[in-house]
Amino acid sequence: MTIKILIVDDEEFICEEVSETLIEEGYECLTAISVDAALTLIRTNLDISLIITDLKMPEKSGMVLIESVENEFGKTFKFVVMSGHGSALVDEVSIDLDAYNFLKKPLDIDKLIETVSSILDASWHINNLTPADVYFGRGQAILNQREK
C-alpha cells in the first residue's frame, strides 16, 4: 500500500520540491496551491495519510485548512505545518505549535523526511489503516479481520 501525502503551499516550487523529495522516499504525493484546491483533493482522496501545509497563504491560511478538515472529517488526518515567518505569524493565526509538527522554511530536507517518517510510523499506518478507514468506521473491522 502506497502512503499518500498532500502538500499545500501557494509557492508552486515548494510543492514541487517537497513532492519530489517524498516521492524519492517512496511516498505518493498530491499538491495544491490553495486551501480550496486542497479541500477538493481531500474530499476525493480520503486515503491521504498526511497533509503538509504552509501556514501563511494569500487567501486562506494553513490554519483555515486544518480547521476546515477537522470540522468536516474530525481528527482523522495528520498535519505538518511549515512557515518561513517568525513567531509573530504563529501568534497571529493562533496556532498551538505543540498540537502540530512544525517545520521552518527554508526546509531542511533531512528534517522533513525524519518528521514525515516519524508521524507515519506513529500513526494508524502501523496497522495499515487509512484516514478513510477511520472516517468510515472500518478501522476496528479491519483489525478484527486480521486477528482471525
Side-chain angles (χ1 to χ4, degrees):
M1 179 174 117
T2 303
I3 296 172
K4 194 179 290 186
I5 299 172
L6 173 60
I7 300 118
V8 186
D9 197 303
D10 59 300
E11 297 180 74
E12 198 167 344
F13 76 93
I14 291 178
C15 286
E16 290 170 6
E17 179 183 321
V18 173
S19 178
E20 287 172 11
T21 298
L22 295 176
I23 287 169
E24 287 176 11
E25 294 296 313
Y27 301 108
E28 180 181 342
C29 294
L30 302 171
T31 62
I33 58 171
S34 71
V35 169
D36 291 334
L39 289 169
T40 298
L41 283 171
I42 293 165
R43 289 180 186 118
T44 58
N45 292 275
L46 288 175
D47 58 340
I48 292 170
S49 300
L50 177 66
I51 300 168
I52 301 173
T53 184
D54 188 16
L55 188 55
K56 183 176 170 119
M57 294 183 274
E59 294 177 20
K60 297 178 184 173
S61 72
M63 201 61 226
V64 169
L65 174 62
I66 293 169
E67 290 169 354
S68 297
V69 169
E70 290 182 350
N71 286 339
E72 188 168 338
F73 300 101
K75 294 193 180 264
T76 57
F77 291 91
K78 301 286 184 191
F79 288 91
V80 172
V81 176
M82 55 185 176
S83 181
H85 301 278
S87 60
L89 175 66
V90 172
D91 293 340
E92 179 184 319
V93 296
S94 302
I95 186 170
D96 177 7
L97 289 181
D98 293 331
Y100 305 99
N101 287 278
F102 184 81
L103 294 173
K104 181 122 176 78
K105 290 185 195 174
L107 293 174
D108 174 327
I109 296 302
D110 292 332
K111 180 73 173 161
L112 168 69
I113 294 167
E114 176 187 314
T115 300
V116 167
S117 178
S118 69
I119 291 168
L120 295 174
D121 286 348
S123 72
W124 49 81
H125 293 286
I126 293 170
N127 297 310
N128 292 322
L129 300 178
T130 68
D133 294 327
V134 175
Y135 182 72
F136 292 113
R138 296 187 297 238
Q140 193 57 49
I142 291 170
L143 292 175
N144 289 343
Q145 186 67 20
R146 287 195 187 118
E147 290 174 4
K148 291 181 181 180

